Amino acid sequence: MNEETKSLLPPSNEEYIASQNAIIQTRIEKMNAFKSEGVEVYATGYQPNAHAADLKREYEGETHESLEEKNVEVKLGGRIMAVRNMGKCSFCVLKDGTGTIQVFVARDNIGVEDYTRFKKFDIGDIIYVEGSLFITKTGELTVRCTTLKLLTKSLRPLPEKFHGLTDTEARYRQRYVDLIVNDDVREVFYKRSLICQKLRNFMADNGFMEVETPVLQIQAGGAAARPFKTHHNALDTDMYMRIAPELHLKRLVVGGFERVFELNRCFRNEGCDRRHNPEFTTMEFYMAYGTYTILMELVEKMVQTLAMEVCKTTTLHWNGKDIEVGGTWRRLRIREGVAQVLGVDEAKLADRSFLEDVVAHLPEPIRGEELAKKSDGHLLMEIFEQRVEETLVQPTFVYEYPASVSPLSRRNDVDKDFVDRFEIFVCGIELGNAFNELNDPLDQRQRFLDQVKKKLEGDEEANPMDDDFVQALEYGLPPTAGCGIGIDRLVMLLTDSDSIRDVILFPTLRPQE
């Protein structure tokens, strides 16, 4: 290895240790001292048989005398979170995956050598404990330790306080530390896991089959978004990370799977804010012979079921507001909502010059050549997004979208300029999108052509032509309704989380220098 190559290597272990602060260096010295005594500082083979939360739940209400009579022996593993030394005995707080429990460590119970070593342990060290349960004079369930082993030496100290605005980015970057010290954060992700589990159960109970579709695709479609692009070396082919599973799921309905769903990761090359992360989770599901009005009822029932099973109530709190997800949700047509906010008759929205004037005076106005390129439907949606969405606090189905902004939706039988589509809004935030699927292959092909024209004019979010999907429709897609639910935003609602980064374990962040 030449000198130039060597210069690219990270620091050696010796150099790395020398660069650390005194606390870390002291912990490394302790670790080396333990090793010199023959102590395995990264031990294995010690299997707990109990968890803190389960023990507290099972023995709640026991007295010192009743628990002593039962002589309950337990084995626990966890991280030391606090220590209170009292000479020949100590109390420590042990934290495992379910919660914390107090451990009583006495020299007379574990021996002088092990007790002397224990007093050199640090906050954050992971230990194994065997002992019997008892109730202290203060009424706290405690493990009387008879065996104690160091399983993992923690070289880096835990922060005393790891929350607040000044540490927000550090919490996201070091989620593992966030989870160790912030119980409320752990609870959010326990709930997220439960939500996904209950969602799968709900879909199965309603006759839907879970499937998997490709993440890497020859062309990204199914949504209006800018994709991430990569290259497959063996095939010498450019590929894209999926922006939506829609087109593959509808292919499966063509193939005869009448009710399918997928909990999936999608990727969109867009900015980050409190509602958006470039990598996110959705659930899409498709129902042959269904309609978007049937899906409204199904989504209502789905969210209400999740609220009751996860939160034990249909009255939720989000963004400082009380949200009632029980009962029948409000239904609001796009044109109706815009007309109400503008204080005009709905017929006025058919006047192009009126729409242009309103759009030119929005908080984020559109003027000049850009305005001329927009269809009437796009102008209507600009007004809706900038003036109406923020007013939709309680759960609302907004429906009858312009066909020009809905390239995959079936046209309304009465008004061909609009489609049978709805979106779900809570606290001004979109949670889902659904519509009667377009199953006319020639209409679909023409809409793809219209999208390709927009892409050639510079619209990076326009859909590409997908000849294989058109061919699939030519075999016959039964009348079908489909829906996509943003899982991250749904978790935000059910956990009262303000930012999408609070419900994604490892959100996308700018690299640190």
Side-chain angles (χ1 to χ4, degrees):
M1 184 181 296
N2 59 38
E3 291 303 317
E4 183 178 351
T5 303
K6 287 182 179 179
S7 68
L8 300 177
L9 286 172
S12 67
N13 272 5
E14 292 77 11
E15 293 169 330
Y16 175 75
I17 292 170
S19 70
Q20 300 303 306
N21 63 41
I23 296 176
I24 295 176
Q25 291 182 356
T26 299
R27 289 193 173 204
I28 292 174
E29 290 170 3
K30 286 185 182 180
M31 177 186 70
N32 290 331
F34 287 151
K35 287 181 177 179
S36 68
E37 296 170 8
V39 176
E40 176 54 71
V41 295
Y42 297 106
T44 188
Y46 296 90
Q47 184 67 46
N49 66 1
H51 288 96
D54 297 334
L55 293 176
K56 287 184 174 180
R57 185 164 44 249
E58 184 174 355
Y59 297 103
E60 182 181 10
E62 294 278 359
T63 65
H64 178 81
E65 292 74 16
S66 65
L67 198 51
E68 288 288 342
E69 287 181 9
K70 293 181 178 179
N71 190 29
V72 180
E73 297 287 335
V74 297
K75 301 175 182 179
L76 293 168
R79 191 182 297 272
I80 298 173
M81 299 303 292
V83 176
R84 182 159 47 96
N85 290 313
M86 300 182 299
K88 297 180 181 180
C89 63
S90 303
F91 285 96
C92 75
V93 176
L94 185 74
K95 185 171 189 176
D96 63 16
T98 66
T100 61
I101 192 167
Q102 183 170 257
V103 178
F104 175 67
V105 185
R107 186 182 67 180
D108 293 344
N109 293 335
I110 66 172
V112 174
E113 185 178 3
D114 283 348
Y115 186 70
T116 301
R117 189 174 295 128
F118 165 74
K119 294 187 73 173
K120 297 177 183 177
F121 289 177
D122 293 303
I123 304 299
D125 286 353
I126 298 173
I127 61 174
Y128 169 82
V129 170
E130 291 182 9
S132 59
L133 295 180
F134 74 102
I135 303 294
T136 65
K137 292 179 180 179
T138 59
E140 185 168 356
L141 182 67
T142 303
V143 180
R144 183 186 292 109
C145 178
T146 55
T147 299
L148 187 147
K149 298 290 183 183
L150 176 65
L151 299 185
T152 301
K153 181 71 188 124
S154 173
L155 302 183
R156 193 170 291 271
L158 296 175
E160 292 182 12
K161 294 182 179 179
F162 203 71
H163 53 81
L165 293 177
T166 57
D167 290 318
T168 298
E169 186 168 330
R171 286 181 46 234
Y172 298 147
R173 289 190 185 280
Q174 296 181 290
R175 181 67 85 186
Y176 41 90
V177 182
D178 194 21
L179 293 169
I180 292 171
V181 299
N182 286 330
D183 290 340
D184 55 340
V185 174
R186 288 159 64 99
E187 184 63 23
V188 165
F189 291 103
Y190 280 130
K191 281 188 175 181
R192 180 181 176 119
S193 177
L194 182 62
I195 289 165
C196 291
Q197 174 191 330
K198 297 298 184 182
L199 265 176
R200 285 187 162 97
N201 294 344
F202 179 87
M203 299 307 292
D205 290 344
N206 282 275
F208 288 83
M209 179 178 73
E210 185 171 10
V211 298
E212 294 176 300
T213 61
V215 173
L216 278 178
Q217 302 180 353
I218 298 299
Q219 53 189 14
R226 182 180 179 183
F228 286 97
K229 186 177 181 180
T230 186
H231 187 80
H232 192 291
N233 291 333
L235 298 178
D236 192 22
T237 301
D238 287 340
M239 301 190 80
Y240 300 88
M241 301 292 284
R242 142 176 90 193
I243 59 175
E246 177 171 338
L247 301 185
H248 283 89
L249 289 173
K250 285 194 280 193
R251 285 174 169 93
L252 296 181
V253 181
V254 170
F257 292 140
E258 295 182 351
R259 295 190 179 194
V260 294
F261 80 98
E262 182 177 15
L263 267 168
N264 62 89
R265 299 292 278 182
C266 290
F267 308 83
R268 298 183 184 178
N269 203 346
E270 57 190 19
C272 302
D273 58 33
R274 59 184 289 265
R275 302 182 187 181
H276 298 88
N277 192 70
E279 178 181 1
F280 58 98
T281 304
T282 70
M283 183 182 76
E284 288 205 14
F285 58 96
Y286 291 82
M287 177 192 289
Y289 311 107
T291 64
Y292 80 120
T293 54
I294 291 175
L295 292 194
M296 287 184 184
E297 298 172 2
L298 186 67
V299 170
E300 274 180 351
K301 182 181 176 183
M302 175 196 301
V303 176
Q304 290 161 5
T305 299
L306 289 174
M308 287 304 300
E309 293 189 347
V310 176
C311 305
K312 311 305 180 188
T313 179
T314 60
T315 303
L316 309 175
H317 191 75
W318 192 27
N319 290 337
K321 299 179 176 66
D322 289 327
I323 307 297
E324 180 54 63
V325 300
T328 301
W329 297 358
R330 180 188 182 192
R331 272 73 166 159
L332 180 71
R333 291 182 300 107
I334 289 279
R335 287 169 287 184
E336 178 187 2
V338 170
Q340 287 177 359
V341 168
L342 296 182
V344 299
D345 189 271
E346 204 171 304
K348 189 73 172 173
L349 302 180
D351 183 344
R352 169 79 186 195
S353 60
F354 174 76
L355 293 177
E356 289 184 348
D357 181 63
V358 174
V359 169
H361 294 88
L362 289 174
E364 297 180 20
I366 301 176
R367 301 188 180 97
E369 294 182 4
E370 189 65 25
L371 182 60
K373 293 179 184 179
K374 301 289 185 181
S375 67
D376 289 7
H378 280 92
L379 299 185
L380 184 66
M381 289 309 302
E382 282 290 343
I383 300 169
F384 174 80
E385 290 169 5
Q386 296 194 45
R387 292 290 306 277
V388 183
E389 283 185 6
E390 63 185 20
T391 69
L392 306 177
V393 176
Q394 297 302 321
T396 303
F397 291 113
V398 176
Y399 68 106
E400 284 190 11
Y401 277 65
S404 57
V405 300
S406 311
L408 299 167
S409 307
R410 183 181 182 278
R411 295 181 190 271
N412 184 271
D413 289 333
V414 176
D415 190 339
K416 299 298 184 181
D417 290 332
F418 289 82
V419 295
D420 295 330
R421 171 188 175 191
F422 72 77
E423 288 188 319
I424 312 154
F425 286 89
V426 180
C427 275
I429 297 175
E430 179 208 337
L431 296 187
N433 181 30
F435 41 81
N436 288 352
E437 303 298 334
L438 175 59
N439 60 350
D440 179 339
L442 297 182
D443 188 357
Q444 179 64 81
R445 190 174 190 282
Q446 182 58 53
R447 294 205 218 175
F448 277 146
L449 281 173
D450 295 340
Q451 289 285 302
V452 171
K453 291 176 184 177
K454 291 178 181 178
K455 186 174 286 287
L456 293 174
E457 291 171 355
D459 186 348
E460 294 181 329
E461 295 187 349
N463 279 253
M465 173 61 73
D466 191 332
D467 289 315
D468 181 76
F469 180 68
V470 173
Q471 180 174 297
L473 293 185
E474 290 173 348
Y475 280 97
L477 172 70
T480 299
C483 180
I485 303 289
I487 299 302
D488 306 307
R489 295 181 183 180
L490 181 61
V491 174
M492 288 169 65
L493 168 65
L494 292 171
T495 60
D496 190 17
S497 298
D498 181 61
S499 170
I500 195 170
R501 293 182 176 184
D502 292 329
V503 299
I504 296 176
L505 279 167
F506 300 103
T508 304
L509 300 169
R510 188 184 301 278
Q512 287 182 301
E513 294 184 2

